[in-house]
DNA sequence: GTCTATAGTGGGATAGAC
DNA sequence: GTCTATCCCACTATAGAC
């Protein structure tokens, strides 16, 4: 079928565009990324780019939506018998690993203007809420397991997970070049979950 | 003396400008803040603004330098007998309190272009290095006291302190409006230093 | 040293040919 | 649905009168 083949090509190009956006977002952030950058990187004209995504915001939303969808899939792939606290550790480590590979955006935290427009993006918000629900469920379970301290409320915990996943610390550590990727991940996961203090 | 009085006025205006910049940086970030915004907020013309600061980068650098200088002063004000770990907690809480009051920038983490220009700004870098040195000294002392876990290297610890001070978690928690300022500070400090896990 | 006015430019978005 | 060319606005920075 010719139509199906065409659609396949179309989809493939969209994937390529989103790949480029991912890379550029993590490199320059939303505000400094230009549509020319994206078009150049994909190797198409800016006009063609606008046939796929009608605005810069839509483009970023598509990239972030793909990331969140991947997060859900990763959560689903974790064996059911894993404890809630280990699932939280796993997903944090996974996010950081993705970051270190260079493909992942700095997330909405970067740009306040992007944040606002994402709130109005239905398909982004749908996935974001699903991810959020999963996180809160895991935290609730971990709390029931007695794994969490009472001193840190659920909200602080969940938000911290998000923010550590796009923490500039990673960039600084990478630039320093003293630790390799897995060492960075281990240290960040330990610092987030267990803190800095020596266990008594 | 007339000259001295004039200079006093001049300095006062520069303070007012930096106040405005502080507020705008925390609100919109560097890339989205415009010189018109700054001039409007101070209530002077854009042309006059450029008589005080010759570029947008210099303006941001001045604001961040003032913040870092205040950080040094706050460190100096802590009683000498305070333990290193408590000093680190104190300065983190102080930074967060400043953030919550609305005056403090999201720091360089926001904008990569700003980061680069700050590196070339001598007076900024001088203060930044002094602050950095103080932090590393405190961490070294805390480690000698046996207060820190071996699992988290010094670099990860120091960078994390910086990044938590400008963490988007604070904004989310504020928007949520479930916790008051001091509760947010307590929870963030606890989460950073002690982590999420229940103490065995 | 303050203002108004404007130069110059970069980038988001669109038009129109093929 | 891809390209080239261009519009147009917003923003940094400067000129020049007072």
């Amino acid at each position: 079928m010719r139509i199906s083949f065409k659609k396949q090509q179309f989809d493939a190009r969209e994937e390529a565009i989103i790949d480029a956006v991912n890379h550029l977002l993590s490199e320059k952030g939303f505000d400094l990324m230009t549509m020319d950058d994206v078009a150049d990187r994909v190797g198409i004209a800016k006009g063609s780019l606008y046939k796929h995504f009608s605005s810069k915001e839509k483009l970023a939303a598509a990239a972030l939506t793909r990331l969140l969808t991947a997060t859900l899939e990763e959560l689903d792939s974790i064996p059911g018998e894993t404890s809630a606290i280990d699932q939280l550790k796993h997903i944090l480590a996974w996010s950081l690993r993705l970051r270190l590979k260079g493909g992942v955006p700095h997330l909405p935290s970067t740009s306040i203007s992007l944040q606002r427009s994402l709130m109005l993006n239905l398909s982004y918000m749908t996935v974001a809420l699903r991810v959020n629900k999963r996180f809160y469920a895991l935290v609730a379970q971990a709390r029931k397991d007695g794994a969490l301290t009472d001193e840190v409320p659920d909200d602080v915990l969940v938000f911290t997970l998000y923010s550590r996943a796009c923490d500039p610390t990673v960039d600084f550590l990478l630039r320093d070049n003293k630790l390799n990727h897995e060492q960075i991940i281990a240290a960040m996961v330990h610092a987030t979950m267990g803190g800095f203090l020596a266990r008594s």
Side-chain angles (χ1 to χ4, degrees), chain A residues 57-76:
Chain A
E57 280 74 19
K58 290 243 177 75
L59 199 46
L64 293 174
T65 302
R66 197 180 68 172
L67 174 67
L68 287 176
T69 306
T71 306
L72 280 178
E73 283 166 7
E74 183 64 24
L75 278 169
D76 286 335

Side-chain angles (χ1 to χ4, degrees), chain A residues 18 30-31 33 76 103 147:
Chain A
I18 294 181
F30 179 73
D31 296 330
M33 176 186 84
D76 286 335

Side-chain angles (χ1 to χ4, degrees), chain A residues 10 13-14 23 39 41 44 47 55 69 73 83-84 86 91 108 125 128 130 136 159 182 185 200:
Chain A
F10 186 88
R13 177 149 301 166
E14 296 223 326
H23 197 104
R41 196 179 171 90
I44 60 174
S55 75
T69 306
E73 283 166 7
S83 70
D86 281 339
I91 205 69
M125 282 307 288
R130 281 180 62 199
Y136 273 101
F159 288 144
E182 287 303 319
I185 294 169
S200 50

Side-chain angles (χ1 to χ4, degrees), chain A residues 82-92 138-139 141-143 145-149 157 161 189 193-194:
Chain A
T82 313
S83 70
I85 196 77
D86 281 339
Q87 289 192 50
L88 288 171
K89 278 188 198 172
H90 177 97
I91 205 69
L92 176 58
L138 283 174
V139 168
Q141 180 60 46
R143 214 174 269 292
D145 296 343
L148 299 175
T149 175
L157 219 153
L161 282 176
V189 171
M193 309 303 290

Side-chain angles (χ1 to χ4, degrees), chain A residues 55-176:
Chain A
S55 75
K56 192 182 171 186
E57 280 74 19
K58 290 243 177 75
L59 199 46
L64 293 174
T65 302
R66 197 180 68 172
L67 174 67
L68 287 176
T69 306
T71 306
L72 280 178
E73 283 166 7
E74 183 64 24
L75 278 169
D76 286 335
S77 80
I78 302 174
E81 64 271 23
T82 313
S83 70
I85 196 77
D86 281 339
Q87 289 192 50
L88 288 171
K89 278 188 198 172
H90 177 97
I91 205 69
L92 176 58
W94 175 83
S95 304
L96 292 169
R97 198 167 290 120
L98 220 61
R99 264 286 286 297
L100 287 163
K101 274 195 208 138
V104 184
H106 280 180
L107 280 176
S109 64
T110 340
S111 164
I112 293 158
S113 69
L114 177 56
Q115 253 179 51
R116 286 203 216 294
S117 83
L118 285 174
M119 298 288 197
L120 303 172
N121 186 304
L122 189 62
S123 60
Y124 171 83
M125 282 307 288
T126 306
V127 194
L129 287 175
R130 281 180 62 199
V131 171
N132 212 35
K133 229 171 159 181
R134 289 290 288 270
F135 280 175
Y136 273 101
L138 283 174
V139 168
Q141 180 60 46
R143 214 174 269 292
K144 217 160 65 178
D145 296 343
L148 299 175
T149 175
D150 290 335
E151 312 253 5
V152 181
D154 287 5
D155 293 328
V156 179
L157 219 153
V158 172
F159 288 144
T160 298
L161 282 176
Y162 283 125
S163 90
R164 297 243 74 182
C166 54
D167 192 311
T169 301
V170 172
D171 302 312
F172 290 127
L173 291 172
L174 257 184
R175 211 175 305 160
D176 250 30

